[in-house]
Amino acid sequence: MDDEAATIITVKKEKKRKHKKSEENIIPDSTKSTKKKTKEKKRRTADRTGSKSSATDEEEVEDEKTDAVDKEKEEAKKRKREKRKLKRELQREATEKAKANQGKGGDTAGLLYLESYAKDKASWKFCKVRQVWLLQHMYDPEKIDESSFVMLLDYLDGLQGKAREKTVQEAELIMRSLDDDESEESAAPPKEAEAGESKKSAVSAEKADRAKQILQLLS
């Protein structure tokens, strides 16, 4: 009886020992598995976060490139518009000059336009082509004689904006060029000075006088 009881006790102890050993082996494996799953989850989360961040950065870079391309296209369009505008202005000026230089017909029309302004302002109407002709030939006594130039001074007094500024600049340029010519002649030998004076005296004196009157009027 005692031997049988001892055997039973020994068997039970052996079972408990094996069971305990089995639990010791199982628990660490379970813990390792849990830790492994946790690490894997964290890695996937990090990968997704990194992917989103990378995608966002790529989108921002792409947006910047698109903005730069759009800006360049807009600037190119702006330059084209400016070139077309300048081309139209040059063509318009060329047309006006061509119309203003149509020989005696233009001369007569320009002088009649000026006379209409001087004598009948109520019915007078502005015409840019006629004004261009007058401004182009106001220093030429063969185109605009003295009596017509007096009427022209009255007309010039009403000039506005760029036309007025350009007229003043042209008169100043004439006066400066005449002053330079006089300086060169004073430095030249007497015979050369006399020849130069006789060559330019008539035209230059007329231009200088008209330029002076214009500057006094508009300055």
Side-chain angles (χ1 to χ4, degrees), residues 41-175:
K41 186 176 181 181
K42 288 182 178 179
R43 186 183 64 78
R44 287 197 299 268
T45 302
D47 289 344
R48 286 196 299 270
T49 304
S51 298
K52 289 180 180 179
S53 177
S54 178
T56 302
D57 292 341
E58 289 178 359
E59 288 176 359
E60 289 179 353
V61 171
E62 191 64 28
D63 289 341
E64 290 177 358
K65 289 181 179 179
T66 302
D67 292 341
V69 171
D70 291 341
K71 185 177 180 181
E72 186 175 350
K73 287 181 178 179
E74 186 62 30
E75 289 178 351
K77 289 180 180 179
K78 185 178 180 181
R79 288 194 294 270
K80 286 182 180 179
R81 288 195 297 268
E82 291 176 350
K83 286 182 179 180
R84 287 196 296 267
K85 183 180 179 181
L86 179 60
K87 187 176 180 180
R88 287 195 299 268
E89 289 178 354
L90 292 174
Q91 288 176 343
R92 185 171 61 250
E93 289 181 2
T95 301
E96 290 172 352
K97 287 181 179 180
K99 290 180 179 179
N101 290 324
Q102 290 177 347
K104 286 296 180 181
D107 296 358
T108 303
L111 294 175
L112 289 174
Y113 171 79
L114 181 62
E115 186 176 352
S116 173
Y117 176 85
K119 298 181 178 180
D120 190 10
K121 289 186 175 65
S123 60
W124 170 86
K125 291 183 180 180
F126 174 75
C127 178
K128 187 163 185 181
V129 173
R130 304 301 173 224
Q131 176 173 290
V132 169
W133 184 89
L134 290 171
L135 296 180
Q136 283 183 336
H137 300 96
M138 60 185 172
Y139 295 105
D140 186 354
E142 293 183 2
K143 298 282 187 180
I144 301 176
D145 60 21
E146 191 61 33
S147 61
S148 296
F149 183 73
V150 173
M151 292 188 290
L152 180 59
L153 287 175
D154 183 40
Y155 181 86
L156 294 178
D157 193 32
L159 281 181
Q160 301 292 329
K162 290 184 178 181
R164 189 182 185 95
E165 293 176 5
K166 187 175 180 180
T167 301
V168 171
Q169 291 172 359
E170 186 177 1
E172 290 175 343
L173 181 62
I174 289 172
M175 295 303 295

Side-chain angles (χ1 to χ4, degrees), residues 208-219:
D209 182 61
R210 292 191 175 190
K212 185 176 181 181
Q213 291 184 63
I214 291 170
L215 286 175
Q216 289 175 345
L217 177 69
L218 302 181
S219 299

